[in-house]
Amino acid sequence: QDNRISLWSAGDLGNAGLNGEYHGEPHLLCDIQHNGDVMDMQFLDQERIVVASSTGTVTIFRHHQNNQTLSASHRWEKAHHHVDQDTSCGGAACTGVVCNNPEIVTVGEDGRINLFRADQKDSVRTIDNADSSTLHAVTFLRTTEILTVNSIGQLKIWDLRQQRNEPSQIFSLAGDRVPLHCVDRHPNQQHIVATGGQDGMLSIWDIRQGTMPVSLLNAHEAEMWEVHFHPSNPDHLFTCSEDGSLWHWDASTNVSEKPSFLHQGGRSTTYLSHSTINQSVVSAWLSNDPTKDRMEITNLIPNQTLSVNSLDVLGSCLVYGTDSEAIYVNRQLFA
């Protein structure tokens, strides 16, 4: 009932011991009440955080570093709504937010896409009936293009320079229209996109060709809630699921020469085939020759039973949150 936005310090990174283990406890810097469930959030810049609420409202919170407090610096009330913004119960959950300062894009259960600017009171652009189903997640493809995923298994590209309210491209999973919950694009090769959905499968798409995924990889036993390419090491991908697992997918080309990670249980021992057609240009994620290389998958939290709801990754640090009401920090990702 009582939801809060909390800002934590994970301590001093220079504070590691001789063998790399980290000393010092994370501590709470400040927190502030939040109306509704927090559906998504992202830093806009060093001191501002954009938060999506189940009430349909989008809020920018500012972190005041001099006295360690948080305050709401701007609010777009009921940016997402089913009936109209004025009715008391008309709000529709804002399911996803993505920032490219000063621009903020939000999507919601109402099938609406909003483009905001941090310094402007009203939305810059709203695509009211962008989708007839729930939009679950959004990310930038380029500075003027966004990708959305919806509850009927579609991936859509929207060009924000175009005034028309239709997507410039639509991709979809064949057969069963399995809801897609998360999307991320490869940081260097922007035509490569990963999505995950209700059936736990990982789909890799090449948006230059065709309208279907280039590969479908068996993954989790339940919904996949989040997928992230490593920002500086994108041959590594991370996915987390309702089934309590968090997988590290390693598609770097010399997997066979590396000491194997410790595999534990379940389908996490799968080796998936892949290769590289022209290694300098083509990513490991798009290849499909079974003889050359293998993809290695490690479940980073093998004994977890509760849902892993969210993750983020930077450098050798992985952060994830679970239904146990705990946040975990793994600082030795590539140790």
Side-chain angles (χ1 to χ4, degrees):
Q1 296 302 310
D2 173 28
N3 295 311
R4 306 187 81 75
I5 304 290
S6 304
L7 196 66
W8 295 78
S9 162
D12 179 14
L13 279 169
N15 203 7
L18 291 173
N19 51 357
E21 89 277 18
Y22 170 75
H23 298 296
E25 287 295 309
H27 65 277
L28 182 65
L29 294 176
C30 47
D31 64 357
I32 191 170
Q33 270 194 303
H34 180 267
N35 193 10
D37 294 344
V38 176
M39 305 297 285
D40 198 9
M41 58 179 169
Q42 199 174 62
F43 278 99
L44 176 67
D45 55 26
Q46 288 290 323
E47 52 185 36
R48 289 180 295 177
I49 307 152
V50 181
V51 182
S53 170
S54 59
T55 64
T57 294
V58 177
T59 310
I60 302 180
F61 290 96
R62 185 180 288 274
H63 174 218
H64 306 276
Q65 296 180 354
N66 51 359
N67 60 357
Q68 290 304 346
T69 57
L70 279 166
S71 67
S73 66
H74 192 81
R75 214 175 243 125
W76 290 283
E77 295 284 349
K78 290 195 187 150
H80 294 273
H81 50 91
H82 283 306
V83 196
D84 59 65
Q85 280 173 294
D86 303 326
T87 51
S88 59
C89 57
C94 177
T95 51
V97 56
V98 64
C99 304
N100 186 15
N101 193 9
E103 300 194 315
I104 299 160
V105 175
T106 69
V107 296
E109 276 181 8
D110 53 358
R112 192 175 268 109
I113 298 173
N114 291 306
L115 172 63
F116 297 110
R117 277 207 186 89
D119 47 8
Q120 292 184 20
K121 193 160 142 288
D122 298 316
S123 71
V124 179
R125 172 100 189 266
T126 294
I127 305 177
D128 271 331
N129 298 306
D131 214 299
S132 56
S133 63
T134 295
L135 289 168
H136 281 139
V138 58
T139 191
F140 275 99
L141 184 60
R142 298 179 183 80
T143 48
T144 56
E145 285 183 303
I146 56 167
L147 287 165
T148 59
V149 290
N150 69 12
S151 59
I152 54 171
Q154 292 174 318
L155 169 67
K156 297 183 181 180
I157 299 179
W158 305 81
D159 186 339
L160 298 172
R161 291 165 304 189
Q162 301 287 338
Q163 281 314 302
R164 59 198 189 100
N165 291 340
E166 275 91 43
S168 50
Q169 278 176 280
I170 300 179
F171 303 83
S172 58
L173 296 170
D176 309 332
R177 296 186 158 234
V178 177
L180 291 172
H181 290 304
C182 51
V183 57
D184 196 26
R185 75 150 170 81
H186 192 288
N188 315 334
Q189 302 186 35
Q190 296 178 332
H191 54 276
I192 302 174
V193 174
T195 64
Q198 191 162 301
D199 57 1
M201 298 276 280
L202 174 65
S203 309
I204 305 291
W205 312 71
D206 182 346
I207 60 172
R208 300 170 304 182
Q209 50 179 297
T211 58
M212 287 164 61
V214 290
S215 57
L216 284 168
L217 305 174
N218 265 334
H220 303 279
E221 305 284 349
E223 292 93 342
M224 185 190 293
W225 291 132
E226 195 106 61
V227 57
H228 274 299
F229 285 102
H230 192 287
S232 54
N233 202 345
D235 280 349
H236 297 265
L237 179 98
F238 298 85
T239 60
C240 65
S241 168
E242 179 71 27
D243 67 8
S245 59
L246 193 162
W247 285 15
H248 173 185
W249 305 69
D250 181 357
S252 49
T253 46
N254 57 349
V255 164
S256 44
E257 296 143 35
K258 288 196 298 202
S260 178
F261 289 105
L262 177 65
H263 285 297
Q264 303 199 20
R267 282 190 295 182
S268 53
T269 52
T270 331
Y271 281 99
L272 290 163
S273 308
H274 82 279
S275 82
T276 41
I277 303 160
N278 173 347
Q279 300 215 325
S280 61
V281 185
V282 174
S283 160
W285 295 108
L286 297 184
S287 37
N288 52 11
D289 172 0
T291 54
K292 289 196 178 162
D293 271 306
R294 302 178 301 181
M295 175 136 40
E296 189 156 18
I297 302 166
T298 315
N299 183 6
L300 297 180
I301 39 175
N303 303 318
Q304 164 78 3
T305 52
L306 296 168
S307 174
V308 184
N309 300 320
S310 189
L311 73 92
D312 206 354
V313 59
L314 189 67
S316 63
C317 190
L318 170 77
V319 179
Y320 57 95
T322 78
D323 269 356
S324 63
E325 299 191 9
I327 301 163
Y328 298 87
V329 182
N330 173 349
R331 292 180 180 276
Q332 295 170 285
L333 213 43
F334 301 114

